[in-house]
Amino acid sequence: MASDLPNNGAIAEIIKEAFADIGYQVFFEFYPWARAMEQAQLGRVDGTGLWLKTDSRESEFYFSEPVLEEKHVFFYNRTDKPILDSFEALKSCSYVGLEDFSYGIDLDNIIRAKQINMHRVSNDEQAFGMLLKNRVSIYPQEMAVGYYQLRQHFSEQDMNKIAHIEQPFMRKNSHIILSKVDKNNAEILKMFDKALHRMKQSGRYDQLLAKVIKF
C-alpha cells in the first residue's frame, strides 16, 4: 500500500473490496510504520496493516486471516555479497532496518540481544540508499515490497547494483489488525475474513495481487 499508487496499490484494493463486500467503506491514511501503530493504539484510526503477528500486538489487536504471504529476504549490494553460511557470519554483517518493524521472533531476539548491529531508518528509500553507499551490508525486507520500492525510488543503474539472498530468512503471513478496545471489531474481522475467502475463490484476489508480485 502506498499513497502514490493508483488506488493506493493492490493490497489496499484487496482490503477495500473485501470490506465493501460486507458493507464498510474504507479510507486510507499513510504514515511511517511506528506512527501507524501509534495511531491504531491511540484509537485515532480503526485499524492498520499489514502486520506480522507478535505476542505484544495480539494483546492489543484482533488479527484478520492472512492478507498476504510474505517472503522476507536479505538484500545486499552486488559489490560486496555477504556469505551467510553461519551464525557467526550473520553477526559480522551490518544491517539497516525500519523503525518499529518486526523481522520475526528469531531475528528480533538477535537484534534485541545486540548480537547484530542494526541502524534504524524511517523508510525503504533511506534503507536502500545506505545499502547503495555500502554504509551497511544487509537490508532485510519482504522481497516483492523491496523490489517495488527500488523501482519507485531508484534508477535502473542503481537497481542493478542490488540483489537478494535467494533463501528467505522468514516466510510469514501478514494481516490487518483492529483494536480490542472495541469488541465489535472481532465480529467485523470474521466477516472480513469470509469476504477475503470469497475473493480468493473467485480469482479476484490473484488478479489484484499479480500487480504486486513482479520484480
Side-chain angles (χ1 to χ4, degrees):
M1 294 188 289
S3 59
D4 58 344
L5 291 178
N7 300 318
N8 301 135
I11 300 301
E13 286 187 80
I14 289 169
I15 293 169
K16 196 168 186 176
E17 288 191 20
F19 271 116
D21 185 31
I22 60 173
Y24 288 89
Q25 187 174 9
V26 174
F27 299 94
F28 293 101
E29 298 176 6
F30 293 90
Y31 305 100
W33 284 104
R35 191 171 174 215
M37 178 58 72
E38 180 185 54
Q39 294 290 90
Q41 289 170 327
L42 294 174
R44 293 174 180 165
V45 296
D46 295 310
T48 178
L50 296 175
W51 296 92
L52 304 181
K53 281 188 178 181
T54 65
D55 290 341
S56 62
R57 291 171 188 164
E58 286 193 278
S59 69
E60 296 183 81
F61 297 98
Y62 298 113
F63 278 70
S64 71
E65 287 297 306
V67 176
L68 182 67
E69 181 189 17
E70 300 184 1
K71 296 177 182 177
H72 290 254
V73 298
F74 290 130
F75 285 91
Y76 64 90
N77 190 315
R78 291 180 187 272
T79 62
D80 187 23
K81 181 177 180 178
I83 306 300
L84 303 178
D85 56 358
S86 68
F87 181 61
E88 288 303 314
L90 193 70
K91 289 198 297 182
S92 69
C93 295
S94 57
Y95 299 76
V96 60
L98 299 180
E99 294 172 355
D100 200 42
F101 195 89
S102 171
Y103 293 99
I105 294 173
D106 293 338
L107 193 54
D108 283 352
N109 285 340
I110 295 170
I111 296 167
R112 196 174 298 114
K114 300 188 184 300
Q115 293 178 295
I116 65 173
N117 176 40
M118 177 174 279
H119 182 87
R120 298 280 187 166
V121 296
S122 61
N123 58 57
D124 292 280
E125 186 176 2
Q126 291 173 332
F128 278 118
M130 291 183 69
L131 203 58
L132 285 164
K133 293 174 183 176
N134 280 319
R135 292 177 58 192
V136 293
S137 307
I138 290 173
Y139 176 38
Q141 177 56 287
E142 202 282 325
M143 184 167 61
V145 170
Y147 281 108
Y148 169 77
Q149 293 295 335
L150 283 168
R151 291 195 302 270
Q152 289 296 109
H153 299 293
F154 296 94
S155 66
E156 185 174 352
Q157 182 180 6
D158 280 341
M159 281 184 61
N160 290 336
K161 296 176 183 177
I162 301 295
H164 71 275
I165 302 293
E166 287 295 328
Q167 180 63 37
F169 70 85
M170 178 176 67
R171 289 175 179 263
K172 288 285 186 179
N173 294 317
S174 56
H175 316 254
I176 60 167
I177 57 177
L178 301 181
S179 174
K180 286 186 174 180
V181 172
D182 186 346
K183 300 303 180 184
N184 293 325
N185 284 339
E187 186 59 35
I188 290 172
L189 278 187
K190 287 181 182 178
M191 294 189 294
F192 172 86
D193 290 342
K194 291 178 181 177
L196 185 63
H197 179 72
R198 288 192 289 271
M199 287 183 71
K200 291 179 178 180
Q201 291 293 101
S202 70
R204 177 60 174 164
Y205 176 90
D206 288 336
Q207 179 187 5
L208 290 171
L209 198 60
K211 300 178 183 181
V212 177
I213 310 300
K214 61 178 182 177
F215 45 87

